[in-house]
Amino acid sequence: MTERSQAQRTWRNPLFVWDSGQEVEQLPTASFVSHQEIWDTTRASSTKLFPVGRLRYYHKWAGHGESLWRRHRYWPTRRRVLRIRGEYNEKSLRREKTIVDKRPIWWVMGLIALALIPLITPASLENTLLTAGVTFGIYAAINLCWMLVIGTASIFSLATYAIVGTAAFVTAYSSATLGLPWWALPPLGAVVGLIFGGIIALPATRLDGFYYALLTLGLNELCRVYFVTSKEFGSATGGLYGAATYIPQDWSSSGQLQLAYYACFTLMLLALLLYRFVNGRRLGRILRMAPEKREAFAEATGVNYRQARVRVFLISSIALGFVGGFYSANYGGVAFSIFSFDTVLLGLAMLVIGGVGRSEGAVVGTLIVVFFDKVLITLGPMRLIIIGLIMLFVVLYLRNGLFGIKQQFRSWRNKKKSERRSTRAEKGGEMLPEEATEASSVDDVYRRRYDKMQREFLKRLLTPEVIDEHRRAPQGQHSEALERLLIYFRNQPQPDKYAITALQSIEGYRIVALSGHRGVAPRVVEDKIYRSPSEAYHGVFLRRVQDLLES
Amino acid sequence: MDIWFVVSNTIVLACIYGTLAIGVSITWSSLGLLNLAYGFIFAFAGYGAWLFAQHVSSWGPAVLASGVLSGALGGLFVCALAFIPIHDKPNFTIRGLIATLAINLIGTQSLLWWFGPRSKSLPEIFGTWKFSLSGMTLTADKVGNVITSVVMLLLVLRWMRSSRRGLEIRAMMMNPHAASIVGIGVRRTSFYVMALTGALAGLAAVLLSQTYYISPFGGLTAMIKAVSIALCGGLGSVQGAVIAAVVLGLNEALTTVSIGGRYVLITQFLMIILILLVRPRGIAGILDRAREA
């Protein structure tokens, strides 16, 4: 608002010098306010709004030139290398492509980085990092199989480490006593895993997910107590050692570590492949149809989810047994700590931190937890507390782990957007967007918007002085504010416009409303009878003011 | 086989397991939270009692009371951290389970960090007397355990039946939505429930410490047994928990006598699996359908 408009303005009656009967000489009048300003304040929302971003941004790549489109596929599957959407840009008249799903790129980059780590580690850190890397590879493989059970099959099983540990102990025992070579251990472990998984799949068919979680929690403890107390599995030495290992003893320690690292990395790749082949193909799709609590729906559409669940459970049990056999072939034995409650807890932390139901969640969660647990080993019990705090934070604030953040943010943003939209929908004759799309003429939309704007402006001009001025002189020269109001009232369309009729019987006047149609009589709006025309004029004015304020 | 030994052992075990399992059961049925931080509360209460016995007084009842109080405190802590922030968020059951597990991890590691790995022992609360009764030797801790836990359980059940708060908790157990509609605040009630179940865990911790020791991870076995007994009895049913506690206590006593202590967990789990295969909701599991809806 400028300084000039802020000052109280005075209106001088130009006719005052000639006819001073009942006219006033000068009147204070409403200070000037820009229409735009009134419009803005009317439409502004009083709710506090946060800037929450706009559309999703996708980088647009150039098209493919001559050939219209290339569609390479992975050989055994029908999947494309990247999910790319092709578009025609109407402005630049070019073809464009958008990479819809960039996850494969991240995967490849991450795996290449993991494969290059042993080559670029400084010698001082090599021991720590590569040992942690070995642990990471094995745990990531275990967690990927576990994720198949929890995420894909939605069986909340906590007996994973019981399977791995049993397979590791049995293979280590048979290798130590029967002298099996190292390459026989993983297949033997797979057989053990199949048997063990078959036994614990039995109650899984009967119990609900949650009850099964509790049962398997105890199962793990059962295995621990059994192996710890049994003499043949090395209760005296804290574990069972002396199994055959694939790591040649005559290599240098650095070479041994690198070999172990790459072997575990390969194991993780195999687990990823398994995850992909179970979760991404028919079995996984069937089970995605039947998440927890929607089983009845899936069953109604013909999905035999029980069978599919048991199948996934058995497949991952075999894989877990294989990992168990590999575990004892890698370390040359196995310790009791594989059954400990903390191991299960840390495994669960890995899954939860990354996000249940995603392979990248399993791998990155494992990476984070193993980093804290194995690399920062100097922190002592503090490192487990840190892991617990991260886990707690993730569970309390995130809906589905770190990789669910994007989804969670988007749904939050959509909520905010719709809140913003609903605060904006103040309707005063103006059309809402969905109404406007139905309007036959755009002129209508703008006319109504203009009318609304004008009414908002006129409401500002209504002051007691203006009404008092009209009461004193309904006709004649008026101040600017009153004149603007009267011009607006006079320009209203005929239907329901107020008028005055002179009564025949007595000397009096009454307010009526015109029908707007020829031949249809006006209707009487109130019983009040005015004694003089100027009183009636003022009565009409008051009614119109009332209508304006109510609009 | 000594029949009296089996019977007395059964009774002692059933009392302690019942105390633990009823806590788990009440928490689950009224809050819908499976409290896997129970092991932490257990150890926390044990350490609370130990600190009290070390620094203030080693008079038996006072130590017992301090254990119960610190258990209640641990329960309140878990409630504020794991129940209040997420109980109205999606997927609460699993998230609550994981949150309590995380608290368990943090809590036990903190105890380990603070108090060190060496286990502590509490003073003899019930004295050291013993007497024989028709061939059965009753020691002070056994008699004291049984009497204390039975008295406390009866008190708790009476309180649940007759007091205003107990009525609120029972209303929450039946239907949490309806309870909140008639003005029983979920959050306020949850604090009562968690304090109560925490106190029961503290009681069990002090009673068990008469036989075992207090260590940061000592609550784990107790928690797993409590959870599996509550599961076996039917989550949410107090009678079921008592029945299951008696059955599994008998099983444990019989197994120890006949084949040896190391097979206790195996026979116990075989038993639980058998029971659950026959009745998937536990011995007296009825509330679950309403609770999970």
Side-chain angles (χ1 to χ4, degrees):
Chain A
M1 207 184 279
T2 59
E3 231 172 82
R4 183 179 164 276
S5 65
Q6 264 174 346
Q8 185 71 40
R9 296 201 306 165
T10 316
W11 171 78
R12 289 183 59 83
N13 186 353
L15 303 181
F16 181 71
V17 279
W18 292 293
D19 178 15
S20 58
Q22 44 182 317
E23 304 273 331
V24 289
E25 186 188 358
Q26 55 185 23
L27 278 174
T29 183
S31 55
F32 171 79
V33 184
S34 151
H35 294 91
Q36 189 59 46
E37 207 169 293
I38 290 170
W39 181 243
D40 289 344
T41 49
T42 310
R43 289 185 41 115
S45 148
S46 56
T47 320
K48 179 150 177 52
L49 295 173
F50 301 98
V52 286
R54 299 190 184 84
L55 295 171
R56 296 183 193 179
Y57 178 74
Y58 288 101
H59 183 78
K60 303 291 177 193
W61 304 81
H64 278 289
E66 280 299 300
S67 63
L68 195 63
W69 222 223
R70 274 184 231 138
R71 293 184 198 276
H72 298 299
R73 296 179 191 273
Y74 294 123
W75 162 63
T77 72
R78 297 187 63 244
R79 285 179 192 282
R80 303 239 302 273
V81 177
L82 273 177
R83 246 186 86 206
I84 293 176
R85 189 174 61 209
E87 287 136 345
Y88 173 69
N89 188 334
E90 290 178 356
K91 287 188 182 157
S92 66
L93 308 182
R94 281 161 205 261
R95 283 193 70 83
E96 284 174 348
K97 59 183 178 183
T98 311
I99 302 177
V100 182
D101 188 358
K102 296 195 198 72
R103 278 179 300 174
I105 301 174
W106 291 110
W107 266 116
V108 169
M109 278 162 58
L111 290 179
I112 288 175
L114 281 178
L116 291 182
I117 276 182
L119 308 179
I120 55 172
T121 349
S124 58
L125 284 176
E126 193 176 37
N127 199 16
T128 319
L129 276 187
L130 289 193
T131 314
V134 168
T135 321
F136 163 72
I138 291 177
Y139 276 69
I142 293 174
N143 285 335
L144 282 165
C145 302
W146 195 1
M147 196 66 100
L148 280 179
V149 178
I150 289 193
T152 308
S154 57
I155 302 174
F156 209 85
S157 164
L158 298 176
T160 310
Y161 286 93
I163 301 176
V164 176
T166 309
F169 267 102
V170 171
T171 50
Y173 179 71
S174 50
S175 172
T177 50
L178 306 176
L180 287 181
W182 66 266
W183 47 263
L185 298 190
L188 179 66
V191 174
V192 175
L194 176 64
I195 297 168
F196 201 86
I199 293 171
I200 61 177
L202 201 68
T205 54
R206 281 282 279 171
L207 293 181
D208 275 1
F210 196 57
Y211 288 72
Y212 191 68
L214 299 184
L215 191 70
T216 46
L217 186 69
L219 219 57
N220 196 63
E221 187 70 4
L222 163 69
C223 286
R224 188 179 68 86
V225 171
Y226 180 75
F227 281 104
V228 166
T229 49
S230 56
K231 222 177 285 164
E232 57 269 27
F233 289 111
S235 59
T237 50
L240 186 59
Y241 295 97
T245 171
Y246 62 87
I247 298 171
Q249 296 305 313
D250 48 348
W251 283 24
S252 70
S253 74
S254 149
Q256 285 181 352
L257 267 178
Q258 291 208 359
L259 176 65
Y261 180 87
Y262 281 113
C264 293
F265 184 65
T266 316
L267 183 75
M268 188 187 86
L269 288 183
L270 288 177
L272 272 174
L273 215 60
L274 179 80
Y275 187 90
R276 186 76 191 230
F277 267 75
V278 173
N279 185 55
R281 311 203 71 210
R282 185 162 181 274
L283 205 49
R285 275 155 201 260
I286 283 177
L287 285 168
R288 230 167 293 148
M289 187 86 178
E292 211 185 350
K293 293 188 183 170
R294 280 183 55 199
E295 284 100 347
F297 169 72
E299 206 162 23
T301 53
V303 169
N304 190 350
Y305 70 92
R306 279 176 206 277
Q307 195 196 32
R309 276 186 189 174
V310 170
R311 205 178 281 173
V312 173
F313 193 87
L314 287 182
I315 290 174
S316 60
S317 295
I318 294 171
L320 286 171
F322 186 89
V323 176
F326 181 85
Y327 188 98
S328 54
N330 183 56
Y331 290 110
V334 55
F336 293 130
S337 64
I338 192 145
F339 291 122
S340 81
F341 190 62
D342 277 352
T343 312
V344 178
L345 255 178
L346 286 186
L348 200 61
M350 295 172 192
L351 298 193
V352 169
I353 288 173
V356 172
R358 301 154 181 274
S359 51
E360 63 265 37
V363 174
V364 174
T366 313
L367 196 64
I368 293 171
V369 173
V370 167
F371 176 77
F372 277 107
D373 192 27
K374 301 288 174 199
V375 180
L376 303 180
I377 203 152
T378 46
L379 290 177
M382 202 56 206
R383 64 191 204 281
L384 290 181
I385 295 178
I386 292 173
I387 293 171
L389 286 176
I390 296 175
M391 191 175 167
L392 198 62
F393 170 81
V394 166
V395 172
L396 293 190
Y397 294 105
L398 304 182
R399 225 168 278 164
N400 195 13
L402 292 180
F403 283 93
I405 287 181
K406 199 171 169 185
Q407 185 59 41
Q408 196 178 345
F409 172 70
R410 279 188 180 156
S411 60
W412 176 77
R413 188 170 66 180
N414 287 342
K415 194 183 87 183
K416 286 289 167 199
K417 272 185 193 165
S418 71
E419 274 177 20
R420 164 171 294 204
R421 205 190 153 298
S422 66
T423 58
R424 199 175 58 200
E426 192 223 340
K427 185 169 150 62
E430 197 195 354
M431 285 190 190
L432 289 179
E434 49 275 64
E435 240 181 312
T437 53
E438 305 291 318
S440 53
S441 160
V442 189
D443 282 355
D444 257 2
V445 181
Y446 280 97
R447 194 173 298 120
R448 282 170 67 172
R449 168 172 282 199
Y450 172 74
D451 191 47
K452 154 113 170 143
M453 195 164 157
Q454 197 178 15
R455 275 184 280 123
E456 288 302 326
F457 172 69
L458 290 176
K459 278 180 197 171
R460 297 289 178 98
L461 299 182
L462 274 172
T463 52
E465 291 89 43
V466 165
I467 293 172
D468 196 48
E469 187 196 346
H470 188 271
R471 190 184 53 75
R472 271 188 274 113
Q475 286 175 312
Q477 188 70 31
H478 291 126
S479 70
E480 184 191 329
L482 185 54
E483 200 61 39
R484 280 179 186 272
L485 279 165
L486 288 175
I487 289 171
Y488 175 77
F489 292 151
R490 285 172 197 145
N491 281 339
Q492 288 304 99
Q494 284 291 310
D496 264 356
K497 195 176 187 180
Y498 293 116
I500 297 170
T501 54
L503 296 174
Q504 302 288 321
S505 50
I506 51 166
E507 188 169 343
Y509 304 89
R510 179 181 257 172
I511 300 176
V512 292
L514 300 179
S515 67
H517 299 283
R518 188 179 289 270
V520 179
R523 65 184 168 87
V524 178
V525 293
E526 59 177 12
D527 287 338
K528 190 175 176 186
I529 292 172
Y530 297 91
R531 288 292 154 206
S532 67
S534 43
E535 266 180 58
Y537 279 132
H538 189 60
V540 168
F541 178 75
L542 287 181
R543 290 197 77 83
R544 281 176 173 166
V545 166
Q546 179 78 8
D547 290 354
L548 173 69
L549 286 177
E550 278 177 3
S551 73
Chain B
M1 193 193 311
D2 186 355
I3 187 77
W4 286 114
F5 180 75
V6 171
V7 169
S8 66
N9 262 4
T10 304
I11 293 172
V12 171
L13 288 170
C15 284
I16 293 173
Y17 289 167
T19 316
L20 282 166
I22 285 174
V24 172
S25 215
I26 290 177
T27 318
W28 162 255
S29 58
S30 57
L31 307 185
L33 174 75
L34 198 91
N35 188 1
L36 288 186
Y38 225 62
F40 160 66
I41 298 176
F42 190 89
F44 183 76
Y47 275 102
W50 180 75
L51 282 179
F52 186 84
Q54 287 290 306
H55 298 293
V56 186
S57 148
S58 57
W59 184 54
V63 173
L64 192 65
S66 67
V68 168
L69 281 181
S70 46
L73 191 68
L76 289 179
F77 175 69
V78 171
C79 180
L81 211 56
F83 179 75
I84 298 296
I86 49 170
H87 74 95
D88 49 356
K89 302 251 174 74
N91 213 353
F92 163 65
T93 319
I94 297 295
R95 278 167 81 179
L97 179 108
I98 296 169
T100 49
L101 277 176
I103 292 176
N104 195 57
L105 178 68
I106 298 169
T108 48
Q109 291 293 332
S110 309
L111 287 178
L112 175 69
W113 190 41
W114 195 259
F115 291 103
R118 277 188 57 190
S119 45
K120 322 277 186 204
S121 61
L122 283 184
E124 302 279 347
I125 292 177
F126 306 108
T128 48
W129 46 268
K130 62 170 79 174
F131 70 91
S132 299
L133 190 75
S134 64
M136 169 173 58
T137 311
L138 293 175
T139 53
D141 61 314
K142 277 186 184 177
V143 177
N145 277 351
V146 171
I147 291 175
T148 319
S149 54
V150 167
V151 165
M152 286 297 276
L153 276 185
L154 286 180
L155 277 180
V156 166
L157 290 181
R158 173 141 186 85
W159 180 79
M160 292 265 293
R161 286 218 175 278
S162 56
S163 75
R164 192 84 201 162
R165 307 279 163 250
L167 184 67
E168 287 181 4
I169 294 174
R170 282 185 293 134
M172 281 261 293
M173 284 163 85
M174 285 187 183
N175 191 335
H177 294 280
S180 67
I181 287 169
V182 297
I184 298 171
V186 171
R187 297 179 175 213
R188 203 185 49 186
T189 316
S190 74
F191 279 111
Y192 297 134
V193 171
M194 291 298 282
L196 176 72
T197 55
L200 285 177
L203 176 73
V206 177
L207 294 185
L208 263 184
S209 72
Q210 297 300 303
T211 326
Y212 303 102
Y213 296 102
I214 296 163
S215 61
F217 304 105
L220 178 65
T221 317
M223 176 184 86
I224 286 178
K225 287 201 170 164
V227 166
S228 45
I229 288 167
L231 180 71
C232 180
L235 280 172
S237 155
V238 175
Q239 293 96 325
V242 173
I243 297 172
V246 172
V247 169
L248 294 180
L250 181 66
N251 172 60
E252 181 159 342
L254 276 177
T255 313
T256 316
V257 172
S258 56
I259 24 183
R262 56 181 277 213
Y263 295 103
V264 165
L265 271 175
I266 295 179
T267 54
Q268 189 175 342
F269 273 98
L270 284 179
M271 195 138 186
I272 292 173
I273 288 174
L274 279 180
I275 291 175
L276 286 182
L277 283 179
V278 179
R279 288 186 67 90
R281 300 269 170 170
I283 294 172
I286 34 169
L287 260 174
D288 312 85
R289 202 158 282 282
R291 182 65 251 187
E292 280 171 19

